[in-house]
Amino acid sequence: MGLRATLYQIAKEQYRETGQGKSYVDGIDESVTPLSLDRSWGCISYLITQDENASFLNTGRQCENVCEHCEAHSPEAVSELATYLDECESSTIMQRYDSHTLRHLGVYEADYPKIDISNYLVQFTDFVRSAKNVGNGILVVIC
């Protein structure tokens, strides 16, 4: 079974405090429903970046004293990603989907149909845009 990713929006002030001993849950914007990308996060990362070693957000801060992989991303990084996603439609990104290539690179082993990945990508894009619109960062928890 693969690792699952959940994304949360965090306020700018809480992003600044990550890495200073504060619990990452202190900064979660509870008015926004978290986004579960389940096991599709690696595939989405690859489709956006076209690099099996990259992540859709490369400028995060690792949160300390948590058992999960937990990384906070600044509102500025989220804004840049949202701008990129606005310039490149989801349908264009999905044209990069090739299950054979994804499996060969070890990026994505799950058995989700292409339509499920497309739906996750749309949800992800909406989540990133929503965070940008209110000036929030994003917290990614992978476990």
Side-chain angles (χ1 to χ4, degrees):
M1 185 186 295
L3 297 172
R4 290 167 163 66
T6 305
L7 282 64
Y8 302 88
Q9 289 189 24
I10 57 172
K12 188 174 198 166
E13 299 77 31
Q14 278 68 34
Y15 168 76
R16 284 191 214 123
E17 293 177 356
T18 57
Q20 297 177 5
K22 297 247 331 174
S23 168
Y24 71 88
V25 293
D26 292 341
I28 292 174
D29 184 343
E30 295 180 8
S31 70
V32 179
T33 302
L35 173 63
S36 171
L37 292 177
D38 198 41
R39 291 176 289 158
S40 71
W41 63 273
C43 181
I44 290 171
S45 245
Y46 177 77
L47 293 175
I48 290 171
T49 65
Q50 296 180 302
D51 180 345
E52 69 269 19
N53 297 313
S55 175
F56 44 76
L57 287 165
N58 290 314
T59 59
R61 290 184 190 160
Q62 184 68 32
C63 297
E64 299 171 8
N65 302 318
V66 291
C67 58
E68 304 93 358
H69 173 80
C70 182
E71 205 167 74
H73 300 277
S74 72
E76 294 79 18
V78 170
S79 180
E80 288 175 19
L81 177 59
T83 298
Y84 170 77
L85 293 171
D86 285 342
E87 293 169 356
C88 189
E89 304 229 356
S90 294
S91 59
T92 303
I93 293 171
M94 282 307 298
Q95 289 176 358
R96 303 171 184 160
Y97 182 91
D98 177 349
S99 60
H100 176 73
T101 299
L102 294 167
R103 288 178 194 279
H104 176 73
L105 294 172
V107 170
Y108 184 62
E109 301 292 331
D111 293 324
Y112 291 125
K114 184 176 181 178
I115 188 67
D116 289 350
I117 297 300
S118 181
N119 290 337
Y120 277 120
L121 179 62
V122 169
Q123 292 173 34
F124 173 75
T125 300
D126 290 345
F127 188 84
V128 170
R129 286 179 182 145
S130 169
K132 175 189 175 184
N133 290 341
V134 295
N136 279 346
I138 291 179
L139 182 75
V140 179
V141 178
I142 298 173
C143 57

